[in-house]
């Protein structure tokens, strides 16, 4: 199957950047004024040399050399000051705009649904927020400034060339179509190569994140050499893409310089004839030469920065694609309010659901379940039975394909997703500890919590002892993924977080799995405190949790196949009994 052709990139793709720049009109105006001043000062330098030559050395010279050099020094001073002002404000704008873009994209990503992150690699998205924004920062802080300065300088220089000698300037203009043609033809190819190069860089970033995040697995299975080879192949692919782009830009630059300076040489040849015939002064031809060189350099620089602008446009388009994504789970207008207070009655009514990455397999098929307020319901079943899908739908990370999910009689589709999630606390199987302090990890449940509330939750979760033993207490950095804590300690931190949430509905996803006996005992005690007076839905493999449930439902292939208490299900001799004999034999 052929690879899809990358979309064409145009300078118009930088619209995302222009829109952010317009948020700072004052700084932008100062930067443009300073940039215009530097261009004007640059064009004024050849005129200064014309004054020096004509007044000091040419026919009828009056010897006013000193005043002419004073004029030149004044221009140099203006050029230096304006350049410094331009550099400061352009750099300020680039840093500010990139900060705004990163913040805006991140805020937008936080509102997207899990479906988007299933279909797009988070590591590749992270690469867009780092390498692509770094490229745009270079474009704003350097490339755009250079391009505008050279545009102003080139246009101003051409005007001055016509003032010096319309005939010579007209001859110079004849070469412009020869310059524009290769820029147009080669530029199209550079656009595609620029996007390809950016994609290869993103692949490298994704591979780095993936490998470093699984370093223990890599080393445990002795796959260091293979990962090095895989990374080397990705880097080689990046280099190959960059080499093609650089080669094409080099060819275009060579053609541009040859055409530009060839045209100038031919024009100067004609100008030398005019000087010899007395039709133009020596100072004028000297100014024409200097100005022609400045104009040629300006347009030549434009050909060099054009490719960088296209790369920036490609990076901006990749970020604009993220900003254009719309969340599938949106707040209805107006949302139906939940009852106050929420009691916690949770109902699944004939729910059918397929995950977007597995459209041919039903995760739930005609599933119905009613959980009473304050009731504890355990959900068991083999892997792939649809247990975790219940949690995904309850928190409205997805909407069912058919049927309804109701909270206290309100269809979740008609409610504000944020309001629904505020009524639920989650303790996942795979604990999530952020690379932050213990305090901030606990406060994720209630960000405004006081120290007294934090320690009360830690005590209830059997986490206070080890938190107090940390070097800096609650202010101790826990490391990436909670690397400074054991598995049981991480689980108890997530339980304390859920206690702080103090929500009427509790979702427990195999919260005691993969723990040693002592850790399981401490976690189980904490869970029992957490479950008091709450509607609790438990995905459980451990017998202790199942026995404590008021009701057990057994799922298989997205449906309920058995329902009852532990004793009744064991006596029934069905799927639950088989699972119990296989999975719970040690506990029994």
């Amino acid at each position: 199957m052929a690879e899809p052709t990358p979309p064409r990139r145009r300078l118009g793709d930088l619209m995302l950047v222009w829109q952010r720049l317009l948020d700072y009109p004052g700084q932008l105006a100062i930067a443009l004024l300073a940039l215009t001043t530097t261009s004007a000062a640059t064009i004024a330098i050849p005129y200064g040399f014309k004054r020096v030559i004509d007044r000091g050395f040419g026919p009828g010279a009056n010897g006013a050399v000193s005043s002419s050099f004073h004029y030149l020094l004044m221009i140099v001073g203006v050029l230096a000051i304006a350049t410094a002002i331009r550099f400061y404000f352009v750099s300020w704008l680039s840093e500010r705009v990139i900060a705004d873009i990163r913040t805006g994209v991140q805020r937008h990503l936080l509102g997207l649904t899990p479906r988007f992150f299933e279909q797009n690699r988070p590591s590749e998205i992270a690469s867009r927020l780092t390498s692509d924004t770094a490229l745009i920062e270079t474009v704003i802080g350097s490339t755009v400034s250079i391009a505008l300065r050279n545009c102003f300088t080139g246009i101003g220089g051409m005007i001055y060339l016509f003032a010096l000698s319309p005939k010579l300037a007209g001859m110079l203009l004849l070469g412009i179509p020869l310059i524009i043609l290769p820029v147009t033809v080669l530029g199209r190819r550079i656009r595609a190569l620029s996007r390809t190069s950016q994609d290869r860089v993103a692949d490298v970033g994704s591979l780095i994140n993936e490998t470093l995040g699984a370093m223990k697995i890599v080393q445990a299975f002795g796959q260091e050499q293979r990962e090095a080879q895989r990374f080397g192949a990705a880097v080689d692919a990046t280099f190959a893409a960059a080499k093609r782009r650089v080669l094409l830009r080099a060819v275009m630059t060579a053609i541009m310089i040859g055409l530009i300076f060839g045209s100038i040489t031919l024009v100067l040849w004609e100008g030398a004839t005019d000087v010899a015939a007395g039709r133009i002064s020596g100072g004028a031809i000297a100014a024409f030469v200097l100005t022609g060189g400045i104009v040629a350099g300006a347009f030549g620089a434009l050909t060099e920065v054009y490719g960088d602008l296209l790369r920036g446009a490609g990076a901006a388009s990749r970020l604009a694609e993220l900003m254009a994504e719309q969340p599938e789970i949106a707040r209805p207008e107006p949302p139906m309010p939940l009852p106050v207070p929420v009691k916690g009655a949770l109902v699944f009514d004939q729910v059918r659901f397929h995950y977007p990455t597995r459209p041919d397999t039903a995760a739930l098929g005609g599933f119905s379940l009613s959980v009473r307020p304050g009731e504890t319901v355990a959900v068991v079943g083999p892997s792939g039975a649809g247990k975790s899908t219940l949690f995904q739908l309850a928190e409205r990370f997805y909407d069912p394909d058919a049927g309804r999910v109701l909270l206290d009689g309100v269809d979740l589709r008609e409610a504000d997703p944020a309001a629904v999630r505020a009524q639920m606390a989650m303790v996942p199987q795979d604990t999530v500890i952020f690379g932050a302090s213990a305090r901030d990890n606990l406060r994720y449940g209630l960000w405004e919590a006081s120290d007294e509330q934090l320690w009360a939750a830690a005590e209830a979760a059997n986490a206070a002892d080890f938190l107090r033993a940390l070097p800096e207490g609650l202010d101790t950095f826990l490391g990436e993924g909670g690397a400074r804590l054991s598995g049981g300690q991480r689980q108890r931190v997530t339980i304390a977080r859920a206690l702080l949430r103090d929500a009427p509905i509790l979702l427990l996803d195999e919260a005691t799995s993969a723990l040693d006996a002592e850790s399981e005992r401490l976690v189980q005690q904490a869970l029992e405190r957490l479950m008091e007076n709450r509607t609790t839905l438990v995905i459980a493999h451990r017998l202790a949790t199942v026995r404590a449930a008021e009701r057990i439902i057994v799922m298989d292939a997205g449906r309920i196949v058995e329902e009852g208490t532990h004793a009744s299900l064991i006596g029934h001799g069905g799927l639950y009994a088989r699972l119990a004999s296989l999975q719970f034999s040690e506990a029994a």
Side-chain angles (χ1 to χ4, degrees):
M1 182 176 178
E3 292 186 3
T5 302
R8 290 175 57 184
R9 298 304 171 200
R10 302 172 299 273
L11 294 184
D13 292 325
L14 287 169
M15 186 58 67
L16 174 69
V17 178
W18 309 142
Q19 291 170 345
R20 296 302 191 282
L21 282 170
L22 292 176
D23 291 337
Y24 305 97
Q27 291 83 353
L28 183 60
I30 294 173
L32 289 174
L33 179 61
L35 191 147
T36 306
T37 303
T38 58
S39 295
T42 301
I43 297 301
I45 289 176
Y47 175 71
F49 277 104
K50 179 180 180 298
R51 284 170 51 104
V52 170
I53 293 172
D54 286 346
R55 296 187 182 187
F57 306 103
N62 55 21
V65 177
S66 295
S67 63
S68 298
F69 275 107
H70 291 159
Y71 173 81
L72 273 175
L73 288 174
M74 179 188 70
I75 294 173
V76 171
V78 170
L79 180 62
I81 294 172
T83 300
I85 294 173
R86 175 191 60 81
F87 175 79
Y88 173 80
F89 281 96
V90 168
S91 299
W92 187 95
L93 283 168
S94 68
E95 296 288 348
R96 182 66 266 170
V97 165
I98 289 306
D100 290 347
I101 289 175
R102 284 173 174 158
T103 303
V105 173
Q106 168 70 353
R107 183 176 290 112
H108 185 73
L109 289 173
L110 291 173
L112 297 181
T113 55
R115 184 189 299 262
F116 174 78
F117 299 100
E118 285 183 9
Q119 298 171 335
N120 298 271
R121 293 179 300 174
S123 57
E124 195 271 340
I125 296 172
S127 175
R128 296 193 191 192
L129 278 172
T130 52
S131 62
D132 283 358
T133 51
L135 178 57
I136 294 175
E137 182 177 3
T138 301
V139 167
I140 301 173
S142 175
T143 308
V144 170
S145 176
I146 293 172
L148 289 176
R149 187 180 73 232
N150 283 298
C151 278
F152 294 164
T153 302
I155 293 171
M158 286 303 302
I159 294 172
Y160 186 47
L161 287 176
F162 271 100
L164 288 170
S165 175
K167 184 185 77 169
L168 295 179
M171 292 177 62
L172 197 61
L173 277 178
L174 293 176
I176 289 181
L178 297 176
I179 297 170
I180 294 176
L181 182 61
V183 169
T184 303
V185 174
L186 297 177
R188 292 174 181 173
R189 178 60 179 160
I190 289 177
R191 291 187 194 117
L193 292 177
S194 298
R195 175 60 187 248
T196 301
S197 181
Q198 282 301 108
D199 288 342
R200 297 293 80 76
V201 171
D203 290 341
V204 169
S206 298
L207 190 56
I208 291 173
N209 287 337
E210 181 181 58
T211 304
L212 295 183
M215 187 56 70
K216 291 180 180 178
I217 298 298
V218 172
Q219 294 179 349
F221 284 89
Q223 294 296 321
E224 295 92 338
Q225 184 63 30
R226 176 186 173 277
E227 291 300 334
Q229 292 173 351
R230 194 158 69 107
F231 182 76
V235 172
D236 288 343
T238 303
F239 174 71
K243 186 169 65 174
R244 290 192 297 271
R245 173 179 51 81
V246 170
L247 177 61
L248 194 58
R249 283 189 59 191
V251 171
M252 186 173 71
T253 301
I255 293 173
M256 294 300 96
I257 291 176
L259 291 174
I260 291 171
F261 285 97
S263 300
I264 291 174
T265 301
L266 293 174
V267 170
L268 290 181
W269 190 353
E270 181 67 20
T273 303
D274 288 345
V275 172
R279 291 189 292 268
I280 189 172
S281 70
I285 193 61
F288 195 95
V289 171
L290 286 173
T291 306
I294 291 172
V295 170
F299 286 119
L302 283 176
T303 65
E304 293 183 11
V305 302
Y306 186 63
D308 289 335
L309 287 173
L310 288 175
R311 293 183 67 203
S317 70
R318 285 156 54 88
L319 292 169
E321 288 170 4
L322 293 180
M323 295 293 287
E325 288 289 338
Q326 295 299 317
E328 296 180 2
I329 305 299
R331 180 180 185 270
E333 294 295 343
M336 181 174 289
L338 297 174
V340 181
V342 170
K343 297 178 180 179
L346 194 59
V347 175
F348 296 83
D349 180 19
Q350 291 296 312
V351 171
R352 297 185 61 84
F353 177 71
H354 297 73
Y355 281 102
T357 53
R358 303 188 296 275
D360 298 330
T361 304
L364 293 177
F367 180 90
S368 293
L369 173 67
S370 179
V371 184
R372 299 184 302 274
E375 183 183 14
T376 297
V377 176
V379 184
V380 300
S383 296
K387 304 185 296 297
S388 296
T389 304
L390 300 181
F391 289 7
Q392 303 282 344
L393 295 175
E395 293 192 278
R396 209 188 167 204
F397 292 137
Y398 299 93
D399 282 333
D401 301 327
R404 300 182 301 166
V405 181
L406 304 116
L407 175 58
D408 283 2
V410 177
D411 190 330
L412 297 192
R413 287 192 185 94
E414 300 175 3
D416 183 350
V420 171
R421 293 163 192 163
Q423 308 305 319
M424 300 181 185
M426 173 76 168
V427 180
Q429 175 187 7
D430 298 323
T431 57
V432 176
I433 301 295
F434 296 94
S437 66
R439 182 188 309 278
D440 285 351
N441 271 283
L442 290 173
R443 289 199 305 163
Y444 226 75
L446 178 65
W447 198 256
E448 301 79 17
S450 64
D451 278 8
E452 290 74 15
Q453 289 174 299
L454 295 178
W455 283 116
E459 290 283 358
N462 287 334
D465 289 343
F466 72 81
L467 288 175
R468 287 194 178 94
L470 293 173
E472 299 174 49
L474 292 180
D475 294 317
T476 302
F477 178 70
L478 298 183
E480 288 295 326
R484 301 183 69 172
L485 303 178
S486 68
Q489 290 172 336
R490 289 195 293 269
Q491 195 64 274
R492 281 175 274 166
V493 168
T494 63
I495 293 172
R497 181 189 297 164
L499 281 163
L500 283 167
R501 182 76 161 174
D502 195 23
I505 297 176
L506 177 63
L507 306 176
L508 302 178
D509 188 357
E510 301 180 354
T512 60
S513 65
L515 297 181
D516 59 75
E518 178 61 19
S519 295
E520 181 183 357
R521 182 184 64 82
L522 294 171
V523 169
Q524 191 61 46
Q525 289 175 353
L527 287 175
E528 289 171 0
R529 300 187 188 103
L530 180 59
M531 293 162 63
E532 291 177 359
N533 303 316
R534 288 182 172 86
T535 302
T536 305
L537 203 58
V538 187
I539 296 174
H541 282 174
R542 297 297 182 120
L543 188 60
T545 305
V546 174
R547 280 176 169 166
E550 300 167 49
R551 183 161 45 122
I552 301 170
I553 65 168
V554 185
M555 294 185 63
D556 191 23
R559 298 176 182 273
I560 296 177
V561 294
E562 293 180 303
E563 183 174 350
T565 63
H566 171 73
S568 66
L569 291 172
I570 288 290
H572 185 264
L575 177 58
Y576 179 83
R578 292 197 302 273
L579 291 174
S581 65
L582 293 173
Q583 301 176 18
F584 307 148
S585 57
E586 292 184 7

